[in-house]
Amino acid sequence: MFRDHHRQALEAQWWPTERVREYQLSRLHGILTLAYGKAAFYRRVFDSVGFRPAVMNSFDPIQSIPTIDRQTVAENLTAMCTRSITEIGVDFASTGGVSGAPLHFYLDASRSSVEYAYLTASWERAGYRLGMPMVTLRGRVVRADRRGMCHEYDPILRHHYYSSFHMSDDNMARYLEHIGTLGPCFLHVYPSTVTALARFLVRSERKAPTNIQGIIAESEIVYPEQRKMVEDVFGRRLFSCYGQSEKVVMAAGCEKSDDYHVWPTYGYFELLDENGYPVTTPGERGELVGTGFINTVMPFIRYRTGDWATYVGDHCEACGREHIVIRDIRGHRTQEVLIADDGSEIPWTALNMHDDTFLHVRQFQFMQEVPGKAVVRIMPADAFNEKDVRRIARNLGQKLKGRLVLTVKRVDTIAVSPRGKAIYVDQQIPSASWSEHRNRK
Ligand SMILES: [Zn+2]
């Protein structure tokens, strides 16, 4: 299973456009026929719009099928399944719910090896080869070893796991020292955990271990500022992949640019604008919508991921691949913005200062309950003092120009998602009420 999919992924990424389209049309035909024949939900929906998978011979008719989202899945859980959920080979899964309730669904038990085939094929673009030691800092609960360091080792995969929930300066110093003894290895991280390591290296004036061959960052948005800082500090490229538990779209960085290539054999991908039309103009943004080929237990057909990206083109100038190129993938906006007094939105990245503002800060997070006011929670590093508080207030104040009053608050811990992912904006204002606020003004 793994080998076949791995080989296919490696080959298919270089297929010419015509071959990709032929393959996708045949796989789409298969999944749509299965859904229509076996899943009550899809039969009802396809019938309601007059869509017949049997007579589909181009991509166009697909656009008559309504898109679905998390809520559709939550409301039609078993009606979307093509077989009994009690059968062997059916797994139950859930996604982390940073911005709302977790989503539950079903999928094929075999998808893990398929998923891993695509992941390793992606990582190989960064120079990784199966069997190389991998340093993992990604929200796993890791127990302390006999030296008291939160580190576990899997000798079969050659993965070293460190606890991203224990990132004090002392622990990071120990992690980095240990990583330095592993020989040529790769980092597999959340963008936020590798940023924390990079910030620690800067403020403690240490050098990054030179045996780290590359950095693979996944599962969170990669902000351009983070990428630059991490690449500067480690002297290695930060390579990123994009995917989701629902397994409809997977994209991996290009080896020659910071853009993403969508894997053409993983699912059928569409980039749709606010009105549901395909984005075809380079530079315009659209929502990532996918029809997964991997999950046959509960097909996700035209599933809106809630993530958005910029359309670059259908051909990569840098590497020559002939399929869709996207960049700047962003998630749900409630985790991205603060609301000014006039109801306008301020992306938190506009406040992510690259000077010495956060020099003695281990981690920070914005929290907002009412428009026009916010708290910046600061988890101090050792050298932090009152001067830092004044500098943060002054520098952020200059950027905000009175649109938002910010209070600096020192805290001992900053909450992360249940899977250890960073939450940069703890936005307590419901999105409906902030648009109301804006309309009133
Ligand atoms: Zn490329």
Side-chain angles (χ1 to χ4, degrees), residues 299-407:
F300 280 67
I301 293 168
R302 302 198 85 208
Y303 177 72
R304 308 186 82 106
T305 60
D307 296 324
W308 289 66
T310 302
Y311 174 68
V312 179
D314 289 329
H315 170 86
C316 179
E317 297 293 333
C319 71
R321 284 186 185 86
E322 291 187 27
H323 44 257
I324 191 161
V325 185
I326 52 174
R327 69 170 60 134
D328 197 17
I329 303 175
R330 294 286 171 106
H332 203 278
R333 70 171 188 167
T334 53
Q335 291 151 52
E336 305 259 316
V337 295
L338 294 163
I339 311 303
D341 189 45
D342 61 1
S344 60
E345 298 174 6
I346 305 169
W348 77 268
T349 48
L351 303 173
N352 186 13
M353 316 286 278
H354 305 293
D355 47 24
D356 61 354
T357 307
F358 291 116
L359 181 66
H360 298 132
V361 171
R362 271 172 55 195
Q363 194 60 263
F364 61 87
Q365 179 184 60
F366 297 95
M367 191 280 286
Q368 185 169 34
E369 288 172 328
V370 289
K373 284 184 191 157
V375 173
V376 56
R377 295 171 175 150
I378 298 289
M379 205 163 116
D382 292 342
F384 190 91
N385 60 36
E386 279 310 308
K387 261 193 192 159
D388 292 279
V389 176
R390 285 198 295 274
R391 186 175 58 235
I392 292 166
R394 187 180 60 237
N395 291 1
L396 292 178
Q398 278 169 1
K399 279 213 156 184
L400 288 163
K401 299 190 177 73
R403 295 170 67 200
L404 185 79
V405 179
L406 206 59
T407 316

Side-chain angles (χ1 to χ4, degrees), residues 254-257 259 261 316-321 325:
C254 177
E255 38 308 63
K256 296 189 175 161
S257 80
D259 294 343
H261 294 296
C316 179
E317 297 293 333
C319 71
R321 284 186 185 86
V325 185

Side-chain angles (χ1 to χ4, degrees), residues 23-234:
Y23 178 90
Q24 291 190 330
L25 195 59
S26 127
R27 290 297 302 269
L28 262 178
H29 188 266
I31 200 92
L32 294 170
T33 305
L34 176 74
Y36 186 69
K38 303 277 188 186
F41 169 79
Y42 286 115
R43 173 161 291 251
R44 179 163 52 79
V45 170
F46 291 8
D47 279 345
S48 73
V49 295
F51 176 77
R52 289 283 172 279
V55 295
M56 184 184 91
N57 56 13
S58 76
F59 291 99
D60 294 341
I62 295 161
Q63 288 181 36
S64 66
I65 305 173
T67 56
I68 59 167
D69 58 15
R70 288 174 71 100
Q71 198 178 340
T72 322
V73 176
E75 288 168 1
N76 298 280
L77 196 56
T78 48
M80 281 176 63
C81 291
T82 59
R83 46 184 160 133
S84 163
I85 52 172
T86 55
E87 275 178 40
I88 290 173
V90 175
D91 271 2
F92 180 70
S94 72
T95 64
V98 178
S99 58
L103 179 71
H104 303 290
F105 54 94
Y106 297 93
L107 35 64
D108 299 53
S110 63
R111 91 283 176 192
S112 296
S113 62
V114 182
E115 178 84 356
Y116 201 61
Y118 280 92
L119 282 174
T120 49
S122 303
W123 301 341
E124 282 169 32
R125 290 188 194 161
Y128 173 81
R129 294 293 174 267
L130 270 174
M132 282 177 93
M134 188 78 111
V135 166
T136 303
L137 266 160
R138 303 175 36 86
R140 181 180 167 118
V141 176
V142 180
R143 279 190 299 262
D145 63 14
R146 56 190 157 74
R147 293 157 294 187
M149 179 168 66
C150 293
H151 166 252
E152 285 172 16
Y153 180 55
D154 177 339
I156 296 169
L157 290 172
R158 299 188 77 193
H159 285 189
H160 292 267
Y161 300 97
Y162 301 85
S163 172
S164 59
F165 297 103
H166 298 86
M167 300 274 281
S168 67
D169 285 9
D170 285 351
N171 286 334
M172 283 193 280
R174 294 183 74 181
Y175 293 169
L176 286 160
E177 195 181 320
H178 191 252
I179 291 166
T181 66
L182 301 179
C185 65
F186 271 74
L187 295 189
H188 189 209
V189 288
Y190 291 153
S192 60
T193 55
V194 75
T195 304
L197 284 181
R199 295 167 64 85
F200 167 68
L201 286 166
V202 171
R203 71 171 170 270
S204 63
E205 296 176 2
R206 290 164 204 249
K207 290 260 179 290
T210 53
N211 55 316
I212 296 170
Q213 306 294 297
I215 301 159
I216 298 159
E218 290 166 355
S219 313
E220 292 174 350
I221 293 158
V222 181
Y223 295 102
E225 306 83 2
Q226 281 181 325
R227 180 190 296 277
K228 186 177 182 314
M229 182 197 188
V230 168
E231 291 184 344
D232 285 350
V233 171
F234 284 90

Side-chain angles (χ1 to χ4, degrees), residues 411-433:
V411 295
D412 295 331
T413 54
I414 283 178
V416 290
S417 85
R419 297 198 181 171
K421 297 183 196 175
I423 301 168
Y424 293 105
V425 178
D426 176 4
Q427 184 52 267
Q428 304 280 344
I429 307 173
S431 52
S433 84

